[in-house]
Amino acid sequence: MQGGKNAGESMKEKASNIGASAKAGMEKTKATVQEKAERMTTRDPLQKDLATQKKESKVDQAELDKRAARDQNAAAREDNAAAKQGAPYSTTGEHGHTTGFHHGTGGTYS
């Protein structure tokens, strides 16, 4: 059954990566179309260059977002794998203090 779980998680990661790639592709296409529209509406070479620079900036940002999503998906996969193997960390915070509430014994304090 372990193999089935790993395959399912692998498929989820692949689907998330495909989604990130598709989103980046759409953003790049929108940037290109917007650049073409801006370049067609002006005769000023400076404005045309500005439109190209804006497109390149948007394309670069889309690529960075895609890479960040892929990195996040890979990190989530590694975290899940570590949790299944018995994570090397505990549920305590710094210096051995638990991260939840501490409930008293129900007694009164004087």
Side-chain angles (χ1 to χ4, degrees), residues 18-32 62-63 66:
I18 289 170
S21 293
K23 183 177 179 184
M26 290 290 293
E27 292 300 320
K28 291 175 184 181
T29 300
K30 288 190 328 188
T32 301
E63 189 64 27
K66 178 179 79 171

Side-chain angles (χ1 to χ4, degrees), residues 6 8 11-12 19 21 24-25 36 38-40 50 62-63 67 82-83 92 94 107:
N6 289 340
M11 290 300 292
K12 285 181 185 179
S21 293
K36 288 182 185 224
E38 289 176 10
R39 288 179 65 88
M40 287 176 50
L50 182 61
E63 189 64 27
R67 288 181 185 169
T92 60
E94 289 186 38

Side-chain angles (χ1 to χ4, degrees), residues 24 27-28 55-67:
E27 292 300 320
K28 291 175 184 181
K55 178 198 78 163
E56 290 172 358
S57 175
K58 288 180 181 182
V59 167
D60 290 344
Q61 186 61 49
E63 189 64 27
L64 289 173
D65 291 345
K66 178 179 79 171
R67 288 181 185 169

Side-chain angles (χ1 to χ4, degrees), residues 4-105:
K5 288 181 182 179
N6 289 340
E9 289 175 5
S10 177
M11 290 300 292
K12 285 181 185 179
E13 181 183 1
K14 286 180 184 179
S16 294
N17 289 343
I18 289 170
S21 293
K23 183 177 179 184
M26 290 290 293
E27 292 300 320
K28 291 175 184 181
T29 300
K30 288 190 328 188
T32 301
V33 169
Q34 185 176 5
E35 177 212 18
K36 288 182 185 224
E38 289 176 10
R39 288 179 65 88
M40 287 176 50
T41 59
T42 187
R43 291 184 181 186
D44 182 11
L46 186 61
Q47 291 296 324
K48 289 184 181 207
D49 286 343
L50 182 61
T52 300
Q53 288 175 4
K54 285 182 0 185
K55 178 198 78 163
E56 290 172 358
S57 175
K58 288 180 181 182
V59 167
D60 290 344
Q61 186 61 49
E63 189 64 27
L64 289 173
D65 291 345
K66 178 179 79 171
R67 288 181 185 169
R70 286 178 176 252
D71 290 345
Q72 184 178 10
N73 294 338
R77 175 180 32 94
E78 291 172 5
D79 286 347
N80 288 337
K84 287 181 181 175
Q85 292 178 354
Y89 55 87
S90 69
T91 58
T92 60
E94 289 186 38
H95 307 295
H97 298 288
T98 61
T99 55
F101 285 155
H102 288 275
H103 295 285
T105 60

